[in-house]
């Protein structure tokens, strides 16, 4: 359903242009759950934002159900059924939880709204009429962001580190929620995560490192092969100018 073909992305950083993605290739099939993982700074969030249209690729193409969406705007992609829950969600001062969920679903708050809050471990009575201001904890903001994605009827839902700030008690419910969303609404789900528990949900694991997809594989293979990264070895080697051997690096 989603094809990412040879995607490259250059962004302007503090010290000029940086190539953050290079030659990214992967395909997501209909109705499956995928987990994207990899080292910090490897390019997972940037890949997700490029699929959502927050960044426009510098090279390559992105197709949704065969339609080229490479140069479509964010709102067009949203209309076509792509949703993205940010790693660090915005706090919408001056708006109530109920209103935010109504904007997301395009409907008046209903029993479904209560279900969506329940699915992220929030009690609707306590939250619906609360304004999303600074008094919300990080975990609460994160859960409400996830609920806005549940409230939409999506073809592809992307969750960026949904576990961040979510307590142990709610993690179980959250994993069940992803499975339910996938089965009930036939939504293809891409979860960016560092958690073994989330990796358990994956039909396939997409490994992103150093700005590209280094591997598409199974959970077992990823967990069996967590070894030292090339970049780590190169950095240590350059810094110590060929000094001591570094465990896990072939010299
Ligand atoms: N707007 C930007 N301008 C310049 N560089 C950026 C920008 N956004 C991200 N980067 C860089 O791109 C690289 C990939 O960032 P990204 O946020 O995708 O990492 P990640 O894989 O999601 O990491 P994490 O696991 O820590 O969330 C990083 O080196 C980051 O500093
Ligand atoms: Mg990230």
């Amino acid at each position: 359903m989603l094809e990412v073909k040879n995607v490259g992305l250059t962004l302007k950083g503090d010290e000029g242009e940086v190539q953050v993605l290079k030659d990214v290739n992967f395909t997501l099939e209909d109705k499956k759950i995928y987990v994207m993982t990899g080292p910090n700074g490897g390019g997972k969030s940037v890949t997700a934002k490029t699929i959502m249209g927050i960044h426009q690729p510098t090279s390559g193409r992105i197709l949704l159900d065969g339609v080229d969406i490479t140069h479509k705007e964010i709102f067009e992609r949203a209309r076509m059924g792509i949703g993205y829950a940010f790693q660090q969600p915005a706090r919408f001062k001056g708006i109530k939880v109920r209103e935010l969920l109504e904007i997301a679903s395009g409907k008046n708050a209903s029993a479904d709204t209560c279900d969506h809050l329940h699915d992220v471990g929030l009690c609707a009575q306590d939250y619906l009429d609360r304004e999303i201001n600074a008094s919300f904890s990080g975990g609460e903001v994160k859960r409400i962001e996830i609920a806005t994605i549940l409230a939409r009827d999506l073809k592809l839902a992307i969750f960026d580190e949904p576990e961040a700030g979510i307590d142990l008690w709610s993690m179980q419910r959250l994993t069940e929620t992803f499975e339910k969303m996938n089965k009930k609404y036939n939504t293809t789900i891409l979860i960016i995560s560092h958690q073994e528990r989330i990796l358990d949900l994956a039909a396939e694991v997409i490994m992103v490192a150093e700005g590209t997809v280094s591997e598409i594989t199974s959970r077992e293979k990823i967990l069996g092969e967590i070894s030292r990264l090339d970049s780590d070895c190169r950095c240590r080697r350059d810094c110590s100018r060929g000094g001591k051997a570094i465990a896990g690096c072939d010299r």
Side-chain angles (χ1 to χ4, degrees), residues 11-13 18 20 39-46 87 161 194:
L11 293 173
K12 281 205 180 72
V18 256
V20 290
N40 295 133
K44 301 176 296 298
S45 296
V46 165
Q87 185 170 351
E161 297 197 25
H194 301 287

Side-chain angles (χ1 to χ4, degrees), residues 42-84:
K44 301 176 296 298
S45 296
V46 165
T47 301
K49 288 178 187 168
T50 307
I51 296 170
M52 190 66 245
I54 297 165
H55 299 307
Q56 294 272 334
T58 319
S59 56
R61 295 199 306 152
I62 303 176
L63 309 181
L64 181 70
D65 290 335
V67 177
D68 193 331
I69 60 165
T70 316
H71 300 294
K72 289 204 185 292
E73 300 287 342
I74 302 173
F75 74 90
E76 291 175 280
R77 298 183 200 214
R79 234 183 245 158
M80 291 173 84
I82 304 179
Y84 173 57

Side-chain angles (χ1 to χ4, degrees), residues 106-155:
K107 295 178 202 147
N108 276 332
S110 64
D112 286 347
T113 316
C114 297
D115 285 351
H116 299 137
L117 286 173
H118 175 82
D119 286 341
V120 295
L122 297 177
C123 179
Q125 291 92 304
D126 298 340
Y127 285 90
L128 273 177
D129 290 313
R130 259 183 83 178
E131 192 188 308
I132 311 169
N133 55 28
S135 70
F136 272 65
S137 76
E140 285 171 331
V141 173
K142 191 80 184 167
R143 289 169 197 224
I144 289 162
E145 167 94 343
I146 296 170
T148 63
I149 296 292
L150 302 179
R152 296 174 56 198
D153 187 8
L154 292 170
K155 253 188 213 165

